[in-house]
Amino acid sequence: MTEETIKLTIDNQEVEAEAGQTILDAAKTLGIEIPTLCYHPAVPSAGACRICVVEITAGARGALVPACAYPVQEGLGIQSNSERVRQSRKMTLQLLLARSPGAKIIREMAKEYGCEELRLERKDDDCIMCGLCVRVCQQIIGTAAVCFAGRGPDREVSTPYKLLSDVCIGCGACAFVCPTEAIDPAEFCSNPLEKIANEFNCGLDNRTPVHIPFPQAVPNKPVIDRENCIRFQTGGCGACQSVCPAEAIDYDMEDKTVQEDVGAIIVATGYKLFDTEVFEEYGYGRYPDVVTSLEFERMVSASGPTDGQLYRPSDGKEPKTIVFLQCIGSRREKGGVPYCSKICCMYTAKHTILYKHKVHDGQAFVFYMDVRSGGKNYEQFVRRVLTEKMATYLRGRVSKVFPRNGQLVVRGADTLSGGQVEITADMVVLAPAIQPSPGVQDLAQKLRIGYDQHGFLLEAHPKLRPVETNTAGVFLAGACHSPQDIPDCVAQASAAASKALGLVSHKQLTREPTIGVVNELSCNGCFECENVCAYGAIEHKELRDREGDLTATLAHINEGLCQGCGACAVTCRSKSIEVQGYRDDQMFAAINAISR
Amino acid sequence: MSEEKQNQSEKSQWQPRIVAFLCNWCSYAGADLAGMSRRGYPAAIKVIRVPCSGKVDPMFVLKSFERGADMVLVSGCHPGDCHYTSGNYHARRKLLAFRELLDFFGIDQRRFKISWVSAAEGAKWSSLVKEITAEAQALGPFKTFATMLQGEPS
């Protein structure tokens, strides 16, 4: 396109626009607001709703024209908010209001223009016949599942023959652009989209296929969930690409395997929560008002699915009585995990405070085994919960949670008073045990690091080398090592980072001297050792005489690759490989000394 | 005290000598953990550390018996968990084949043990040592090589 600029004036302000732009585009560069309904930047304009009319006062025949569709012309003079314009918009709004009194945006606009009083007979159809949905479906999605049908007063937006549409791909672009929220593809689509649970909010709300994974995501950019994206599933839609002003969406991008040479690896694979559904006595999964502590955390979060309002999942009421159950799966030899999950005592105490902040007249109960508040200021925190009556703590286990009259009855033991207690609660929050992330064992085997019977990764030494592993250059941080709270994780991550930097900041790498050495006088070059070396450390060394002729090919051990396991030394038939520090004469000396 | 009774008490006081080859990463660390967590186990076991169970040459085992061991144990990482990826697999194939040959040497196969103890299994190490010490005690002293050395028929 040639760089042709056109000068015009809007509301007595001069503006330059490119040829092909509309008056609306030019007004936008000046920051002048022109109301629109049927306009969408991604869709070619139709000028259907007539709400964006402006008055031409110079340069062309004086007239009211739709700003969204009228191209800019040299020397044009525009008034965007003259009396004539306002009168015209008022009339349009009166007609729209008569047709669609239920549409929120129409009512708001009518209020703004002072024409809510209606002299016309009201109809009740939210659709204002602007046709934006029809244009989106035809021109952006390329499906044409909805179109105008009928004539005159019977004209309406519909599917062909008003039947359930199998052409509609259920993308919802029509509903997205509709200014009056009048269209819902679920009503006419024979294959409507399933709602996608928002993983970050524990499935408490839904998300779209294009989404930012969570508010603090790095990088904080949307991703496309291919499994649920219509573009990837049916080849249609493509709406996001057409509206993205940065043209950042590329459907042809593929996942890539990236190979990097690194000097250190830090494993920080985190944790997962124990599946509380296996404990049927607590009713998680059966009763909607039994939630896990992570779900509760999302519910009371200001950026959560309810914007920080605490509602019961079953009926949306405010829970006046809430019961927290600690150690769900933790410290349970049979059916659970034997270890303490460490963080649940503190976050449950925090949850009781959060609950009190949300529901001032509410009552919280906590069933606990022991309150383990080891850590700086932790005991004072729990003490505050107890003394300020944030919660009533009951020492004992819960045997059963069951519904009664729309509430949940929590039956358990109070071992301090020595009796059974029954609490009628609105909501029950379970604190599940912490387990290593699934698949961490596979990773550990690939990295050649150890893990315990629960799947937590093993440090090189519990006291002296807590973030290192037995494999040089691999470090641990966070809950992959053991259940940890945030201060512990941060401390361990900082330690692991320092250790990794310490390793790679030197010019030379220090290695253990206990590696294999080949005796070249006796090696006959059979390369049996090559078969057993897991590191590819055995190299072929060519011996040549003075004339440069090859006399022998012998084994040679690469000092950088050899880890000193000694498999080659045992395999060698001519006993030509010895591991330094574990030479045969040294081993026999040890055996002699010890067996006598 | 009658002679018979004295013999019996001597026999019960007799401590076998068990030579154990432990891999550095799992079994040695497991034995270390048993000590660190104050788990007791019989002192009859004498530990020689090797980098990997795959480093245990059958000659080491024979040498131990020759020098007077009553039982030999080789212990490494659990199959699949070798620090060196595959050393314990090599050890397993080699030593199980070697165990079949012990009869040929005049050594009771029960005197040669192979086990897998991980670095987290201090308790398993302690119970394993108790178990094999009791077994070695039941088998009694290993005399074949000693009598051969003295030139007497076994």
Side-chain angles (χ1 to χ4, degrees):
Chain A
M1 200 200 287
T2 50
E3 284 293 318
E4 197 183 334
T5 57
I6 291 167
K7 281 185 187 150
L8 68 157
T9 50
I10 302 176
D11 293 352
N12 308 321
Q13 298 176 61
E14 276 215 1
V15 63
E16 285 187 358
E18 279 173 30
Q21 282 191 313
T22 62
I23 295 173
L24 188 66
D25 296 329
K28 259 188 198 163
T29 58
L30 281 176
I32 294 170
E33 279 278 319
I34 296 177
T36 58
L37 283 172
C38 75
Y39 168 79
H40 193 277
V43 187
S45 301
C49 70
R50 316 304 287 187
I51 207 77
C52 66
V53 285
V54 289
E55 187 181 3
I56 297 181
T57 51
R61 194 161 54 85
L64 289 173
V65 294
C68 72
Y70 201 87
V72 289
Q73 287 169 18
E74 188 66 41
L76 217 53
I78 307 289
Q79 286 298 321
S80 77
N81 206 11
S82 66
E83 187 51 36
R84 200 176 156 201
V85 167
R86 290 185 66 84
Q87 279 301 330
S88 166
R89 285 183 191 159
K90 267 188 190 179
M91 191 62 224
T92 308
L93 280 169
Q94 284 270 303
L95 291 167
L96 287 174
L97 194 60
R99 179 183 170 83
S100 312
K104 193 177 157 210
I105 186 164
I106 306 287
R107 284 204 311 270
E108 278 171 5
M109 275 190 176
K111 196 175 174 188
E112 197 186 322
Y113 280 85
C115 56
E116 301 144 285
E117 290 286 318
L118 205 57
R119 293 166 291 151
L120 302 164
E121 189 190 339
R122 285 170 195 254
K123 278 201 198 168
D124 191 17
D125 185 355
D126 278 354
C127 175
I128 56 167
M129 306 286 284
C130 69
L132 188 54
C133 50
V134 176
R135 276 177 283 145
V136 162
C137 196
Q138 280 179 355
Q139 295 171 34
I140 306 291
I141 314 298
T143 314
V146 287
C147 55
F148 283 114
R151 286 183 177 187
D154 295 331
R155 188 170 153 90
E156 62 176 329
V157 172
S158 171
T159 53
Y161 304 107
K162 300 182 187 175
L163 295 173
L164 271 185
S165 173
D166 53 0
V167 188
C168 173
I169 54 175
C171 67
C174 51
F176 177 73
V177 295
C178 179
T180 57
E181 296 169 15
I183 190 165
D184 181 3
E187 287 172 9
F188 55 80
C189 182
S190 62
N191 43 350
L193 279 190
E194 279 175 24
K195 286 188 171 167
I196 312 161
N198 185 347
E199 297 89 350
F200 182 67
N201 282 339
C202 305
L204 295 166
D205 62 350
N206 298 311
R207 61 161 175 81
T208 51
V210 185
H211 65 290
I212 294 174
F214 51 95
Q216 293 83 20
V218 179
N220 204 318
K221 288 178 182 162
V223 292
I224 299 177
D225 169 10
R226 289 190 175 201
E227 255 118 76
N228 292 303
C229 171
I230 290 177
R231 173 80 192 185
F232 284 101
Q233 295 306 317
T234 69
C237 195
C240 53
Q241 192 177 47
S242 61
V243 297
C244 178
E247 294 177 7
I249 292 174
D250 177 3
Y251 298 118
D252 299 324
M253 272 175 98
E254 289 289 331
D255 289 346
K256 280 188 287 189
T257 303
V258 182
Q259 197 170 332
E260 297 274 1
D261 292 334
V262 296
I265 296 170
I266 297 175
V267 185
T269 47
Y271 69 96
K272 76 172 180 87
L273 291 178
F274 198 93
D275 177 19
T276 39
E277 232 169 291
V278 302
F279 303 121
E280 290 187 4
E281 62 268 36
Y282 303 125
Y284 180 78
R286 245 180 313 149
Y287 312 130
D289 293 332
V290 180
V291 300
T292 65
S293 46
L294 195 61
E295 288 167 356
F296 182 82
E297 182 81 33
R298 293 312 304 154
M299 280 179 195
V300 294
S301 167
S303 63
T306 55
D307 297 328
Q309 300 293 309
L310 183 58
Y311 302 128
R312 291 202 330 167
S314 64
D315 55 7
K317 279 187 196 154
E318 196 176 54
K320 293 291 181 196
T321 314
I322 193 163
V323 180
F324 294 90
L325 311 185
Q326 290 191 186
C327 301
I328 305 300
S330 305
R331 303 177 70 192
R332 182 168 171 147
E333 293 281 350
K334 280 186 184 163
V337 295
Y339 52 85
C340 166
S341 291
K342 194 176 175 183
I343 65 171
C344 328
C345 287
M346 292 317 293
Y347 74 60
T348 300
K350 182 193 82 174
H351 282 171
T352 60
I353 291 184
L354 287 178
Y355 170 72
K356 266 294 202 200
H357 288 176
K358 304 284 179 195
V359 187
H360 301 295
D361 57 343
Q363 176 62 49
F365 296 90
V366 179
F367 279 93
Y368 69 100
M369 284 163 88
D370 293 294
V371 175
R372 296 188 163 171
S373 52
K376 192 177 183 181
N377 290 330
Y378 286 9
E379 178 61 23
Q380 292 94 313
F381 187 83
V382 175
R383 201 46 53 190
R384 200 182 124 214
V385 170
L386 291 170
T387 52
E388 293 180 15
K389 297 278 181 276
M390 303 285 194
T392 305
Y393 270 64
L394 298 159
R395 190 172 202 268
R397 305 292 290 154
V398 167
S399 60
K400 202 176 179 187
V401 178
F402 57 96
R404 185 195 286 161
N405 303 333
Q407 284 184 304
L408 292 165
V409 179
V410 182
R411 183 183 288 161
D414 177 9
T415 55
L416 294 182
S417 72
Q420 205 179 43
V421 284
E422 260 192 21
I423 295 164
T424 310
D426 294 317
M427 225 171 131
V428 174
V429 182
L430 309 177
I434 282 179
Q435 289 184 297
S437 294
V440 73
Q441 284 94 335
D442 292 341
L443 179 69
Q445 281 168 15
K446 285 195 185 88
L447 295 170
R448 303 192 190 100
I449 55 179
Y451 51 90
D452 64 17
Q453 70 264 44
H454 310 299
F456 287 114
L457 302 178
L458 281 183
E459 67 281 3
H461 190 283
K463 290 173 188 165
L464 304 175
R465 296 171 70 199
V467 299
E468 292 152 278
T469 64
N470 275 333
T471 301
V474 182
F475 306 98
L476 306 176
C480 65
H481 166 263
S482 61
Q484 285 177 358
D485 61 4
I486 296 167
D488 285 2
C489 283
V490 172
Q492 208 184 10
S494 307
S498 317
K499 283 278 178 190
L501 283 175
L503 190 69
V504 295
S505 60
H506 293 291
K507 278 184 183 160
Q508 283 187 321
L509 184 65
T510 313
R511 303 275 302 175
E512 290 286 319
T514 51
I515 55 166
V517 177
V518 178
N519 180 355
E520 291 182 0
L521 293 175
S522 59
C523 174
N524 59 11
C526 71
F527 293 106
E528 279 293 308
C529 46
E530 207 175 7
N531 295 332
V532 295
C533 182
Y535 304 97
I538 308 282
E539 292 170 347
H540 291 231
K541 185 179 180 184
E542 293 178 344
L543 294 187
R544 290 176 188 278
D545 60 14
R546 244 175 252 172
E547 277 74 43
D549 294 332
L550 190 68
T551 53
T553 308
L554 304 179
H556 180 258
I557 293 174
N558 181 321
E559 294 138 336
L561 293 175
C562 179
Q563 302 276 329
C565 72
C568 52
V570 183
T571 306
C572 183
R573 291 173 189 166
S574 58
K575 296 279 164 223
S576 301
I577 304 182
E578 296 268 39
V579 178
Q580 290 178 350
Y582 295 96
R583 290 198 318 267
D584 279 356
D585 59 319
Q586 292 171 314
M587 292 303 298
F588 287 133
I591 294 166
N592 281 348
I594 224 170
S595 314
R596 211 171 298 144
Chain B
M1 198 184 275
S2 75
E3 204 179 320
E4 199 188 346
K5 266 194 173 173
Q6 201 176 344
N7 268 351
Q8 252 183 2
S9 72
E10 254 179 24
K11 204 175 178 184
S12 66
Q13 275 170 7
W14 173 76
Q15 281 291 319
R17 191 176 286 121
I18 306 172
V19 175
F21 295 95
L22 305 189
C23 91
N24 184 32
W25 306 101
C26 294
S27 295
Y28 193 85
D32 203 19
L33 180 68
M36 260 193 295
S37 40
R38 303 282 187 271
R39 287 182 193 278
Y41 57 85
I45 197 142
K46 314 283 181 198
V47 173
I48 296 179
R49 179 164 68 160
V50 288
C52 175
S53 52
K55 174 73 181 77
V56 178
D57 196 311
M59 276 304 288
F60 296 176
V61 180
L62 287 179
K63 197 78 178 171
S64 305
F65 281 122
E66 185 204 317
R67 292 289 163 169
D70 300 303
M71 189 178 262
V72 174
L73 167 73
V74 177
S75 186
C77 307
H78 284 273
D81 281 356
C82 180
H83 176 71
Y84 301 110
T85 319
S86 53
N88 55 359
Y89 289 134
H90 296 310
R92 187 167 66 179
R93 293 191 72 170
K94 189 161 50 210
L95 295 174
L96 287 178
F98 168 69
R99 188 162 69 177
E100 299 293 317
L101 290 172
L102 285 176
D103 289 333
F104 172 77
F105 290 107
I107 302 168
D108 190 336
Q109 281 194 23
R110 287 175 295 175
R111 292 188 185 275
F112 179 53
K113 302 285 179 201
I114 303 169
S115 74
W116 316 116
V117 174
S118 83
E121 292 174 330
K124 183 181 172 186
W125 170 253
S126 149
S127 61
L128 172 81
V129 175
K130 281 177 194 158
E131 214 172 275
I132 64 168
T133 307
E135 201 182 336
Q137 251 163 351
L139 285 168
F142 175 65
K143 286 180 178 153
T144 318
F145 284 6
T147 45
M148 276 165 70
L149 286 170
Q150 282 163 20
E152 287 171 23
S154 57

